[in-house]
Amino acid sequence: MKLSMWMIANQLLDLDPVLEIAEDAPAILNSARLAYATNCVYIYQEGNQVVCNGEGDRIIIRDMELNRVFELIQAIFDSYEDWMAEMEQQIRQKDYQGMTETAHKLLKNPLILFDANSRVLGITREYGEDALDPEWAYIYRYGYSSINALNMIRYSYSDTNFYDSGQQPYQFGNNKLIQYPGISASIYFNEILCGRMNLLSKNRPLNQGDSQMLASISKILEASLGQLFFQNAADNSGNIFLNILLKKPYDAHRLQAQLAFQKWHEEDTFYITLVQPRRPDAGMDGEGIQGQLNYLPQLLSKHITHAVILYWPPNLVLFSTENLLESPFSKDLFQQLVENNPVQVGASLPSPGLFHTPLLFHQAEYAIERGDLCHPEQAIHRFRDYAIDYLLTSDAPLSEKIFACMPEVRAMWERKKERGDEMFHTLKVFLDCERSVPNTAAALYLHRNTVVYRIKKIQNLLQCDLDDSRDRQYCWLSIHILELSEEEDKKRMG
């Protein structure tokens, strides 16, 4: 491996050498010599100091014997050879994290390797989550760049093209998000951007030697990252759920295999969580934001393994059998997602049955649309908060509106139809009687204690507060929608 004097100097900084090296000193040196030879480091004594001369560029080391310096410089050449061989082996094995850790042995500064979608393939874990700046913490924790950082680079530093092939030094001044300067190296394969390396200047300033080392690493990464890019592009997993969402034909055997893999059943209760880009701010085009959202499916799939994630531009749709916005495993992730990226989230109600998910998707869409109108300061919107508005204003048929009714009330209604459960009717009469227990008991011809028992059970089933006027209105409206739907079904059946 050919070295430059900067590459050699970066391994000698602990000796506090004097550096007389041109800024653009090339990587042309093959070894150390005690006699001059072309493209070698000529080492000789000069007074009480030792000079390392590489084609006119000099490193001066004091207080060390000539032979010791010679052995040290030759050892640096050998260490670079071993270093590159080790990384080549790790890249062949696609051990990108191992490669990043190996790179740190000689770079001695934090390094991040990304794929084409800003997903982290390797990061120097010697530096913990809180070792650098907020963007480093986000990347370290979630394994992706934040879109806020990408937008800051795209729009605030639009005169610097970070997507050109090769390297781009950067320094963002007093920016709070990215506080450390560095070098960003784009990695292209067959004229397609397939990866990027960012080397940050934390332990020492970066120089031409670091740039030359990044160029060497980039060269051996090109084919491997190119193969990874085309492999990811060919991955069409999840389309079976998109067909269900769009009410298109699907392969039943493939669906059953996918359900078995997720440990789901068609009759399970499902939720839809929808992620969409926010409306673009002034100076930011929607197409640019959308392009930067391409990496979110991989980010979410890395941290939410119990959901099926579909990328259907401009939508990112998550099928799950639990409420992801309330799950202890994903609640914080969505909060971090909307705080660090220009996205908003909509969440549907739960509903039994996989084939009802198209209606749940429209609920999540409505939650974002209505939430963006009523509470633009928020970025997470739940359909339940706007269900009353939907039931009162939507022109959807009653057969669809029943899925927008309070899920707990709908469950009581289903039990009433299946086995004559009295909880649904008791709740209806209780609300019609303005929550008066004596009046409810009289209307139902029941003892007061029986009514009290039923109301306590209903309160536990509802998981809402009937003292809250909006919850009460939602309950009442849901009851009447469900009864109207039942009457309509009876008429239709004659």
Side-chain angles (χ1 to χ4, degrees), residues 125 127-134 136-138 140-141:
R125 294 201 171 274
Y127 306 88
E129 181 176 332
D130 301 320
L132 283 89
D133 50 34
W136 173 272
Y138 184 89
Y140 192 98
R141 184 171 186 182

Side-chain angles (χ1 to χ4, degrees), residues 21 26 39 41 45 55 98 137 149 180 195 236 245-246 367 391 453 455:
I21 307 174
N39 292 340
V41 180
Q45 192 82 36
E55 297 297 337
Y180 288 84
N236 292 315
L245 202 65
L246 299 176
L391 290 172
Y453 169 78
I455 296 303

